[in-house]
Amino acid sequence: MDSARSDALRSDSFMALKILVAGGFGVGKTTLVGSVSEIRPLSTEERLTEAGRPVDRLDGVEGKTTTTVAMDFGRITLHDDLALYLFGTPGQHRFWFLWDELAQGALGAVVLADTRRLADSFSAIDYFEHRGIPFVVAVNCFDGARAHRSEEVARALDLDPGTPVVLCDARDRASCKEVLIGLVEHAASSYEARLQGV
C-alpha cells in the first residue's frame, strides 16, 4: 500500500470527540483541562471584581481570585485515531446561559466535585441527567479534603445506578487521563444500551 493511501485511511478513521468538564465554582475545572491538555489550553479566566461580590458565592474558596467567564479548551490524544476536545464550562450560575451552546454535540461530561461543597454538584448533575448526556462524577481530592469512598459520594448525590464515581487529582495529568478514558467507556456503553433498548 502506498504511503498516500495509507495516510488517507488513517485520516478517515480518525475520531475527535467533544467532552465537557463541568461542576461548581472553584472545583478545579480549569486546572483539569490545563493539566491534561497536550496543547496550550485556551482559558477565559478573569479576575473577580468587587462588582461581582454580591452574586459570587466564595464559601469554601475564599482564596480564589479568578473565574472562567466563557470556557476553557484543551485537547488530548488518547490513541493514534482518537482525540478528545475538552470544553470546561463556567461554574457560576450567571454564566450558565453558555452551557447549552457548549453541550451541543458532546459525547459526555465529567462533573468535577469537591466533597467539602458537594451540593454545588447538583446543578451540573441535573443538567446532564435531564438532557440524557452520559457523565461521570470525578471527586477532586484536594489537599486536606476528607477522603470519602465512591459509594458514599454516589449515595450523597443520589446518582442513578451505573453512574461512575471516580477519585482524581485535577493537577495530575495521569489521573485526569484515567477519568477521561473512564468517561469515554461509560458513554460508549450508555449509547450501546440505548441502541439495544435497555
Side-chain angles (χ1 to χ4, degrees):
M1 181 181 298
D2 66 17
S3 66
R5 185 169 172 205
S6 174
D7 290 344
L9 286 174
R10 203 172 304 122
S11 65
D12 287 346
S13 64
F14 183 80
M15 185 181 308
L17 303 174
K18 182 179 185 180
I19 303 294
L20 297 184
V21 179
F25 175 59
V27 77
K29 300 177 295 295
T30 299
T31 301
L32 186 150
V33 172
S35 68
V36 79
S37 181
E38 65 199 15
I39 62 171
R40 183 177 176 199
L42 166 72
S43 178
T44 59
E45 288 278 298
E46 293 293 335
R47 293 192 64 75
L48 291 168
T49 64
E50 195 62 36
R53 187 178 295 275
V55 292
D56 295 334
R57 283 186 42 236
L58 298 179
D59 304 335
V61 287
E62 290 83 1
K64 189 162 173 58
T65 59
T66 61
T67 186
T68 299
V69 297
M71 67 174 185
D72 298 308
F73 175 76
R75 183 189 73 211
I76 179 172
T77 302
L78 294 181
H79 195 270
D80 289 344
D81 59 356
L82 176 62
L84 303 182
Y85 290 93
L86 309 175
F87 291 82
T89 63
Q92 295 163 286
H93 286 279
R94 62 189 166 120
F95 298 122
W96 271 44
F97 64 92
L98 296 165
W99 280 46
D100 288 336
E101 286 294 321
L102 292 173
Q104 290 291 324
L107 173 80
V110 173
V111 175
L112 204 55
D114 178 353
T115 56
R116 299 170 298 182
R117 298 176 290 120
L118 206 53
D120 292 352
S121 304
F122 283 116
S123 297
I125 290 168
D126 288 345
Y127 182 91
F128 297 119
E129 282 182 343
H130 284 99
R131 286 159 182 80
I133 298 173
F135 67 94
V136 301
V137 173
V139 178
N140 192 3
C141 299
F142 288 91
D143 294 333
R146 188 170 152 227
H148 295 276
R149 292 187 332 224
S150 298
E151 301 81 19
E152 294 174 318
V153 174
R155 195 166 40 253
L157 292 173
D158 194 27
L159 296 175
D160 290 337
T163 301
V165 176
V166 295
L167 306 179
C168 75
D169 182 339
R171 302 163 297 184
D172 182 73
R173 186 175 200 273
S175 176
C176 297
K177 187 174 177 181
E178 288 303 313
V179 170
L180 296 171
I181 290 169
L183 170 62
V184 171
E185 291 171 348
H186 173 62
S189 62
S190 296
Y191 286 118
E192 189 174 321
R194 277 189 216 169
L195 289 174
Q196 295 174 355
V198 177

